[in-house]
Amino acid sequence: MEIVDAQVHVWGANTPERPWPARAHAHRDPPWSAHEVLRAMDAAGVARAVIVPPSWEGDRNDLGIAAAREHPGRFAVMGRFDPDAPGARERLRHWREQPGMLGLRFSFHTPLLRQPFLDGRFDWVWGEAERAGLPIMVLLHQAYLERLLPVIEAHPGLRLVIDHLGLASGEKDAHAFRDIDKLLALARFPNVAAKASALPSYTSEAFPYAGLHPYLRRVHQAFGARRMFWGTDLSRLPCSYAQAIAMFTEHMPWLPPKDLPWIMGRGVREWLDWH
């Protein structure tokens, strides 16, 4: 079974030559390079990983593209995009010409980053991405998922992935999952998938995180194996890489064996057209 991590971050230092915007903090210090992530993947038996450039670096994709160029069989990128940048429409038309670039990733998880979405500044992007065949990963909390309904209904050919099941950082257990029905309601749209990533970060329990399993079972029942993507968000994982894998592959007996290859990698590769 090929294991594909649907989300990892790589980032560089905050320097005068490459400054970060003052809008978020890194998961950890010092920065994580693609080579460090690759060593962790090799040790855990992870074949491939989708690099999601982190919000704290701003709207830049240079390190992810460099990693995909150097390791094209191991890394691909879901890039950050500023809809207000000069030449944004033209850039989007040539988006997948960048090495390793598969699609777009929008972060709407803080008030500062969410407001442009609520203000409609991304409205033109959805249609352009649909026409270009670009999938989009969206980090948006469950409480706001209903705001995506007009987008989903207007663009049935646009492939959307809801990151981290729409969970909010810092929240745990039942409180974190209190609005999960808003995520499950989107499963009726075949162009919406759910990224089951960073989940150990949303519980106060110890491995194998049995309290998370009922919620994951509902996600599996709603979205099915082909639209439920395993991932780690490795740089903030409170457990080992091996445990994050074993949580799904060894400790969920209710998951049909035939579904595991889809959840653990095949599904996200097909969704993102990563060949």
Side-chain angles (χ1 to χ4, degrees):
M1 178 173 62
E2 182 185 58
I3 297 177
V4 181
D5 194 334
Q7 177 164 327
V8 299
H9 292 311
V10 299
W11 68 95
N14 185 6
T15 65
E17 296 74 27
R18 197 172 178 279
W20 299 356
R23 66 187 191 190
H25 298 286
H27 283 170
R28 54 179 67 185
D29 190 44
W32 264 29
S33 71
H35 293 290
E36 290 171 300
V37 174
L38 199 58
R39 283 198 295 270
M41 291 166 58
D42 289 340
V46 176
R48 301 170 182 248
V50 179
I51 292 177
V52 174
S55 60
W56 54 82
E57 280 205 320
D59 292 316
R60 49 164 57 101
N61 303 308
D62 54 334
L63 297 183
I65 291 172
R69 182 187 288 115
E70 185 176 356
H71 305 282
R74 306 297 300 278
F75 292 124
V77 187
M78 293 293 284
R80 303 191 63 81
F81 180 77
D82 180 0
D84 298 325
R89 290 178 184 269
E90 186 63 22
R91 285 188 65 210
L92 204 57
R93 295 188 185 102
H94 301 280
W95 195 249
R96 286 196 69 152
E97 295 173 13
Q98 302 172 89
M101 191 65 74
L102 299 179
L104 304 159
R105 203 279 183 132
F106 299 151
S107 300
F108 302 143
H109 63 303
T110 70
L112 178 66
L113 295 173
R114 187 164 51 244
Q115 198 58 47
F117 162 65
L118 299 178
D119 289 344
R121 283 156 55 189
F122 283 82
D123 286 357
W124 69 268
V125 181
W126 311 112
E128 289 293 327
E130 181 183 27
R131 282 186 285 275
L134 295 173
I136 299 178
M137 291 180 172
V138 181
L139 180 56
L140 182 66
H141 297 159
Q142 292 172 358
Y144 294 92
L145 288 179
E146 292 175 350
R147 300 294 293 268
L148 277 176
L149 277 172
V151 175
I152 297 167
E153 292 171 341
H155 304 288
L158 176 63
R159 286 166 288 156
L160 289 173
V161 183
I162 309 302
D163 288 356
H164 309 334
L165 304 184
L167 300 170
S169 295
E171 296 183 351
K172 307 284 186 180
D173 305 313
H175 180 69
F177 288 87
R178 65 193 180 280
D179 288 324
I180 194 172
D181 286 341
K182 294 182 178 180
L183 170 71
L184 302 180
L186 300 183
R188 70 183 188 274
F189 299 102
N191 59 319
V192 179
K195 189 195 293 182
S197 48
L199 292 174
S201 300
Y202 298 102
T203 180
S204 55
E205 294 185 357
F207 176 82
Y209 312 115
L212 295 177
H213 297 190
Y215 303 112
L216 289 170
R217 192 165 191 169
R218 294 185 66 194
V219 174
H220 176 257
Q221 290 170 343
F223 286 90
R226 299 191 183 205
R227 291 191 291 142
M228 177 181 176
F229 311 142
W230 172 85
T232 64
D233 209 12
L234 182 61
S235 49
R236 68 180 173 114
L237 205 61
C239 63
S240 72
Y241 215 163
Q243 286 175 322
I245 295 169
M247 173 186 171
F248 278 75
T249 60
E250 299 177 18
H251 296 279
M252 295 185 186
W254 46 269
L255 272 179
K258 65 180 177 59
D259 285 0
L260 271 177
W262 287 98
I263 294 170
M264 300 302 296
R266 185 177 177 184
V268 72
R269 282 191 60 192
E270 291 206 358
W271 192 267
L272 302 181
D273 195 25
W274 185 7
H275 301 298

